[in-house]
Amino acid sequence: MRTTTLGTTDVRVTELSFGAAGIGNLFRPVTDEAAFATVEAAWDVGVRTFDTAPHYGLGLSERRLGTALRDRDRDTYTVSTKVGRLLEPNPEGGRGDDLAHGFAVRDTHRRVWDFSRDGVLHSLEASLDRLGLDRVDIALLHDPDHHAEQALTEAYPALERLRGEGVVKAIGIGVNQCALPARFLRDTDIDVVLLAGRYTLLEQEGLAEVLPEAAARGRSVIVGGVFNSGLLTDPSPGATYDYAPAPLPVIDRALRMKAVTERHGVPLRAAALRFPLGHPAVASVLSGARCPEEVRDSVDQLRRTVPAALWDGLRAEGLLARHVPVPSAAPVEGADRPQEESSG
């Protein structure tokens, strides 16, 4: 699987990254065995970039991911985790669940927002303990939407210092909005933005500021949420969009896209998965999985040839603006994104 260097760092990410929220019991339980088999399947198809966070399953995602990777050569893969939410024991004793936050786990802990310097240090230390690893490669500020000033003045300098000391190799921000990462790209020296749901086949808000800023400054973007919470995998009544029921006009737009892609023999989810890679700032697309079949399907879809005529068809239907960049017809090496074949 092709790899790309993040920004000006030596951190390499595979074209497809593994999102580990699913193995943290996102929305529904996953057994340990299924979680480990899912990571194994990702490894077998060449994925070498794994993204997790303390938020995912109150640490369950980090624990499972670390266990699944523990016997691998640490220099052969990239791990990303996040800071901003500390996990503290729940004084109620974990008698309930965490489904209010989206995870099917016991609420043994509670999340405490903390973008202070000490909060960053404690968060990374706890993450390393849960992962059972000696280091993470990428540290991201996680959803600092309502804590922007503290994230800028306290958390970011702490991450910058850790990068300077070699504790982490790359730093950045992970959000599902555009204004804040654009500000970080302008005002700080972050290496990467993890942008969820804002640069997809369905909507390209990230094209206004985030992606141009990243490209101009030699930084990278990892695109998550490429299916807009599932809508672009199966656009139908009841589908979700941004983790809520999709409005009928949005479903209709997705159905029209599906009709175009299928006329060209391409599933909608394949076009959605490949679309973000048409922009030179995009280093990787992040796709979550909770079972081996989902991993293999993502790789199969990413490897499909998407003909130029498909993108032309979307433009002709008014479903894709003419100025929006699109990938080449086949997944080949690109001059704008230095890549190499991994050993798989």
Side-chain angles (χ1 to χ4, degrees):
M1 183 175 291
R2 296 186 301 174
T3 63
T4 303
T5 302
L6 283 184
T8 59
T9 74
D10 62 357
V11 177
R12 300 196 69 83
V13 295
T14 42
E15 191 171 42
L16 181 68
S17 296
F18 179 89
I23 64 169
N25 288 10
L26 180 64
F27 301 133
R28 61 181 186 270
V30 173
T31 65
D32 286 345
E33 292 75 15
F36 300 148
T38 303
V39 177
E40 183 79 11
W43 189 275
D44 288 344
V45 296
V47 174
R48 295 293 183 270
T49 307
F50 302 87
D51 176 75
T52 185
H55 171 55
Y56 303 155
L58 294 172
L60 179 63
S61 172
E62 289 183 319
R63 291 192 296 272
R64 283 175 164 172
L65 181 63
T67 299
L69 294 175
R70 198 155 296 159
D71 293 332
R72 304 289 185 183
D73 182 343
R74 184 63 188 88
D75 293 329
T76 61
Y77 60 89
T78 296
V79 172
S80 167
T81 195
K82 306 178 183 76
V83 300
R85 293 174 174 91
L86 294 177
L87 301 182
E88 296 184 352
N90 185 353
E92 299 297 322
R95 291 189 290 269
D97 60 47
D98 192 53
L99 286 172
H101 295 96
F103 294 92
V105 297
R106 305 303 298 175
D107 61 345
T108 54
H109 290 71
R110 62 180 182 177
R111 301 165 181 83
V112 177
W113 290 102
D114 192 335
F115 287 95
S116 68
R117 173 190 174 277
D118 287 346
V120 167
L121 299 179
H122 291 157
S123 182
L124 282 177
E125 183 179 11
S127 287
L128 289 174
D129 184 61
R130 285 187 292 268
L131 285 161
L133 300 176
D134 61 350
R135 68 183 187 275
V136 295
D137 304 285
I138 307 167
L140 302 172
L141 302 167
H142 198 186
D143 295 334
D145 306 57
H146 303 296
H147 309 271
E149 295 310 315
Q150 188 181 37
L152 276 162
T153 61
E154 297 183 45
Y156 167 74
L159 287 182
E160 187 178 47
R161 179 173 180 177
L162 291 172
R163 182 182 59 186
E165 294 172 349
V167 177
V168 296
K169 296 180 179 179
I171 60 175
I173 182 172
V175 288
N176 56 12
Q177 55 128 312
C178 292
L180 196 54
R183 181 180 177 187
F184 268 84
L185 284 165
R186 289 191 298 267
D187 297 345
T188 74
D189 190 31
I190 59 172
D191 304 296
V192 60
V193 170
L194 172 52
L195 186 65
R198 302 285 78 85
Y199 190 64
T200 72
L201 189 60
L202 192 66
E203 60 172 287
Q204 294 92 46
E205 182 184 347
L207 199 57
E209 283 191 279
V210 177
L211 277 85
E213 286 283 355
R217 298 170 189 275
R219 310 307 181 196
S220 295
V221 177
I222 297 172
V223 175
V226 295
F227 301 125
N228 286 114
S229 305
L231 180 64
L232 293 182
T233 60
D234 182 21
S236 58
T240 54
Y241 167 74
D242 275 358
Y243 305 103
L248 290 178
V250 177
I251 294 174
D252 178 68
R253 183 177 178 85
L255 285 170
R256 291 171 59 203
M257 287 183 162
K258 180 180 180 182
V260 173
T261 66
E262 291 186 347
R263 281 203 299 270
H264 294 277
V266 177
L268 178 61
R269 66 187 187 281
L273 197 58
R274 176 146 291 280
F275 165 76
L277 294 167
H279 196 285
V282 176
S284 180
V285 291
L286 179 70
S287 182
R290 65 181 75 247
C291 65
E293 292 75 19
E294 291 180 354
V295 171
R296 289 190 282 267
D297 180 71
S298 290
V299 172
D300 288 346
Q301 301 311 319
L302 191 63
R303 288 174 175 168
R304 282 180 178 266
T305 296
V306 180
L310 182 151
W311 309 116
D312 291 340
L314 291 171
R315 285 172 170 150
E317 294 280 343
L319 298 169
L320 189 66
R322 301 218 170 254
H323 71 281
V324 175
V326 295
S328 59
V332 297
E333 296 291 331
D336 291 327
R337 294 177 19 249
Q339 298 168 324
E340 63 184 21
E341 292 294 331
S342 75
S343 60

